[in-house]
Amino acid sequence: MNRVAGRVLVVVLAGVLAAGGAAVQAAPGGRALVVARAKMDIRTLDPHRQYEIAPPQIIRAAYETLVTLGEQGRSLTKLEPLLAESYTVSPDGKVYTFRLRRGVRFHTGNVMTAQDVVFSFTRLGNLKDNPAWLFSDHVAAITAVDPQTVRITLKEPNAAFLAMLVSPNFAVVDSKAVRARGGTDAPGADKADRATDWLDQNSAGTGPFILRGWKRGVEVVLERNPNYWRAPSPVARIVVRDIPDPATQLEQVERGDVHIAQSLDADLIARFRRSGRGQVVEGNTLDMTYLAMTTNLQISSALADRRVRQAIAAAIDYDGIVKGLMRGAAIQIPSIIPVGLLGTDPGLAPKRDLARAKALMAEAGYPNGFPVKMVYPTTVLVGGLAAETLVTKLQADLAQIGVQLQLEPRETVQWRADYRGGKLAITIADWTPDFADPHGWAVPFAVKGAAAARRVYYDNPRAAQLATEAGRITDPARRAQLYLELQRILINDAAFVGLIQPKVNLAVAPGVQGVVYNPVYFLDYYFIR
């Protein structure tokens, strides 16, 4: 949908780079790591305002949330308590009660209490910045029952709420420290709060590292929190550095100046593998690129016929896209819910079947095909693939069943407006998540009038029912069944055809262990050794 996207962050962990890129130096008290990104799109490091791609890994190092991804970030379906010691969910799925861990202190030395959680979440909503909807759209009330207990009542049942709480935007901050710097959680905080400038250079969290400074376009520096509630990290210092040129990043990894480079393209990753100068850590994003086809008879009578859409889905050379265009740096997404989330099955993915595609075209009355205009954005898609490259490939694929794509590039802002306005017959588009739960895809694509569905006039009452019900119940097994049924329906209706779910490849220097990529906060530095 927006942010968490195509996170091809560049993270390079290493010792602190000396001026001019000298060898990594050990930091006093332990190892020093440098983190480099190709794009440091940091607008702010205030956890309740940040909504760009670079900040989550930094926020995650300095701040913590009530719950987190399981298995040190490897699992998207198993959530574990973090600042919460335990939690319960009411049978109707509306009331979440968290029992906080005792003895957790902020960087300031203040003890974390339930009032800090209430302040943090309420501030997130009342700041009314980009991520405010995560709180405001869902939470009806939040209460500190006692110093160790927080109760959150939702506006309606939402099985994805725990997954939302993993977002670094739900960081718990020291309310005393933030208030002392002009922060407020009161209504009107969007105008009255003055704490962001301080939070851009300092941290008020409970995380394993303390923010020591941010130089815009240069670097962010964090140092180990000596009073962390878990065992202290062996990493004494982290520098997240802006290195725009991926080739330069690779050179620095190979020289030993950098420990992890995260934004290398397929060619550079292949070079790194061949060099034998480190390891490649691979992870899946939750981003996707998909083909969208209208179901509106007035826009395209041919595409309004489901058999034609099914024929197009059967004519696509998915392997050619994944292995050829993406050079293996992606997987085929079966429908519109990324692999790795609850209720997904790579085995559902459509395969190319030209004989079936031609039979469907003939059955629909188009044995010789038809021409149709494909408007596409003049942009690079998630995963680094140029939109023009992908549509050229699709044009060649569909020509084999007589579908003549008339390609028309359109400036991305105008393309987006036209697509969202439901004006395009067939196009390609990206989708990026805000939280790791299938609810974030199911409702927008399957419910009539929702964000993606309205763009192609998709209307299947059973699909809408499944998407809605799966978001309201809390039984994971039942939810998984509903999402599987929903994806089979979406694949059969073929208004949306999943194409690419990009991977991220990290180039990691020898001796660096514990690097795990996840698509929510990308890296958890606490586990890196």
Side-chain angles (χ1 to χ4, degrees), residues 239-281:
V239 178
V240 183
R241 180 160 291 172
D242 188 355
I243 302 178
D245 181 14
T248 301
Q249 294 172 28
L250 179 58
E251 290 170 3
Q252 294 197 3
V253 172
E254 292 178 333
R255 284 205 308 265
D257 295 339
V258 153
H259 291 104
I260 304 173
Q262 198 174 10
S263 62
L264 307 187
D265 61 26
D267 290 337
L268 292 175
I269 285 293
R271 173 181 143 185
F272 184 65
R273 287 185 196 275
R274 290 194 300 270
S275 75
R277 296 178 179 177
Q279 59 181 313
V280 175
V281 174

Side-chain angles (χ1 to χ4, degrees), residues 157-180:
N158 187 341
F161 186 64
L162 274 181
M164 293 179 185
L165 290 181
V166 175
S167 165
N169 292 121
F170 280 103
V172 178
V173 303
D174 182 343
S175 60
K176 296 183 182 68
V178 174
R179 281 194 171 103

Side-chain angles (χ1 to χ4, degrees), residues 238-513:
I238 298 172
V239 178
V240 183
R241 180 160 291 172
D242 188 355
I243 302 178
D245 181 14
T248 301
Q249 294 172 28
L250 179 58
E251 290 170 3
Q252 294 197 3
V253 172
E254 292 178 333
R255 284 205 308 265
D257 295 339
V258 153
H259 291 104
I260 304 173
Q262 198 174 10
S263 62
L264 307 187
D265 61 26
D267 290 337
L268 292 175
I269 285 293
R271 173 181 143 185
F272 184 65
R273 287 185 196 275
R274 290 194 300 270
S275 75
R277 296 178 179 177
Q279 59 181 313
V280 175
V281 174
E282 183 179 287
N284 287 334
T285 70
L286 293 179
D287 307 329
M288 71 158 172
T289 298
Y290 63 96
L291 178 70
M293 292 180 275
T294 190
T295 64
N296 188 324
L297 193 66
Q298 304 304 314
I299 295 176
S300 172
S301 57
L303 293 176
D305 189 319
R306 183 171 62 183
R307 293 168 297 185
V308 171
R309 300 195 303 271
Q310 291 173 333
I312 288 174
I316 295 173
D317 176 17
Y318 300 99
D319 284 348
I321 293 172
V322 169
K323 297 177 182 177
L325 300 186
M326 294 298 293
R327 285 166 287 180
I331 58 175
Q332 180 187 349
I333 184 170
S335 64
I336 49 83
I337 299 178
V339 173
L341 294 179
L342 183 71
T344 54
D345 178 3
L348 293 177
K351 303 299 180 187
R352 192 180 204 197
D353 186 342
L354 285 176
R356 176 172 177 266
K358 291 176 180 176
L360 284 164
M361 290 289 286
E363 184 181 325
Y366 298 95
N368 299 316
F370 60 91
V372 60
K373 181 190 293 185
M374 172 183 262
V375 176
Y376 66 94
T378 54
T379 189
V380 175
L381 303 165
V382 294
L385 182 64
E388 183 177 12
T389 302
L390 179 57
V391 298
T392 301
K393 169 64 174 167
L394 292 172
Q395 184 184 49
D397 290 350
L398 301 194
Q400 297 190 40
I401 61 169
V403 175
Q404 304 148 42
L405 288 185
Q406 299 169 341
L407 303 180
E408 180 181 313
R410 189 166 294 176
E411 190 278 325
T412 301
V413 173
Q414 185 59 51
W415 163 84
R416 183 177 292 111
D418 291 342
Y419 177 41
R420 289 178 174 175
K423 297 179 180 179
L424 306 184
I426 181 170
T427 190
I428 56 170
D430 287 334
W431 191 264
T432 59
D434 289 297
F435 53 89
D437 187 277
H439 187 65
W441 289 261
V443 168
F445 282 85
V447 175
K448 179 183 178 182
R454 67 170 177 262
R455 300 171 189 178
V456 297
Y457 304 89
Y458 182 64
D459 181 11
N460 184 320
R462 178 56 180 163
Q465 180 187 23
L466 288 166
T468 303
E469 183 181 352
R472 290 174 174 269
I473 61 177
T474 56
D475 178 3
R478 179 58 180 155
R479 292 188 77 209
Q481 291 175 350
L482 297 181
Y483 285 129
L484 280 171
E485 183 180 349
L486 169 62
Q487 289 168 95
R488 292 189 180 98
I489 291 173
L490 291 171
I491 291 170
N492 187 58
D493 287 342
F496 304 104
V497 179
L499 299 174
I500 298 169
Q501 183 178 342
K503 296 179 182 178
V504 166
N505 287 306
L506 311 178
V508 181
V512 178
Q513 303 296 324

Side-chain angles (χ1 to χ4, degrees), residues 11-208:
V11 183
V12 183
L13 308 184
V16 181
L17 278 177
V24 173
Q25 302 294 317
R31 191 173 192 177
L33 303 170
V34 174
V35 177
R37 282 186 44 82
K39 183 181 179 183
M40 290 284 273
D41 62 342
I42 301 173
R43 178 177 60 95
T44 176
L45 291 176
D46 183 334
H48 303 145
R49 290 187 182 276
Q50 63 84 20
Y51 207 52
E52 288 68 45
I53 295 174
Q57 60 174 309
I58 299 165
I59 299 296
R60 172 65 189 206
Y63 297 89
E64 294 175 310
T65 48
L66 294 179
V67 293
T68 189
L69 300 178
E71 301 173 5
Q72 300 184 2
R74 294 180 176 84
S75 175
L76 298 177
T77 58
K78 297 177 183 176
L79 302 184
E80 299 174 350
L82 186 59
L83 290 180
E85 186 176 70
S86 61
Y87 60 86
T88 60
V89 183
S90 65
D92 66 0
K94 291 183 65 176
V95 181
Y96 289 69
T97 303
F98 297 88
R99 187 69 178 167
L100 301 183
R101 198 176 296 277
R102 291 182 179 275
V104 176
R105 292 184 180 273
F106 291 105
H107 298 159
T108 57
N110 293 329
V111 174
M112 179 192 69
T113 70
Q115 287 294 350
D116 293 305
V117 179
V118 173
F119 173 86
S120 300
F121 291 10
T122 308
R123 181 173 183 262
L124 168 65
N126 283 337
L127 284 177
K128 298 181 181 177
D129 214 323
N130 287 328
W133 68 273
L134 287 165
F135 178 87
S136 304
D137 286 6
H138 303 289
V139 177
I142 178 168
T143 306
V145 177
D146 59 47
Q148 298 303 125
T149 308
V150 178
R151 179 172 298 148
I152 300 173
T153 303
L154 302 184
K155 294 177 179 177
E156 60 181 21
N158 187 341
F161 186 64
L162 274 181
M164 293 179 185
L165 290 181
V166 175
S167 165
N169 292 121
F170 280 103
V172 178
V173 303
D174 182 343
S175 60
K176 296 183 182 68
V178 174
R179 281 194 171 103
R181 270 76 182 183
T184 177
D185 65 339
D190 54 320
K191 294 181 175 60
D193 189 281
R194 297 289 181 269
T196 295
D197 286 348
W198 184 79
L199 289 169
D200 282 345
Q201 300 296 331
N202 304 272
S203 54
T206 61

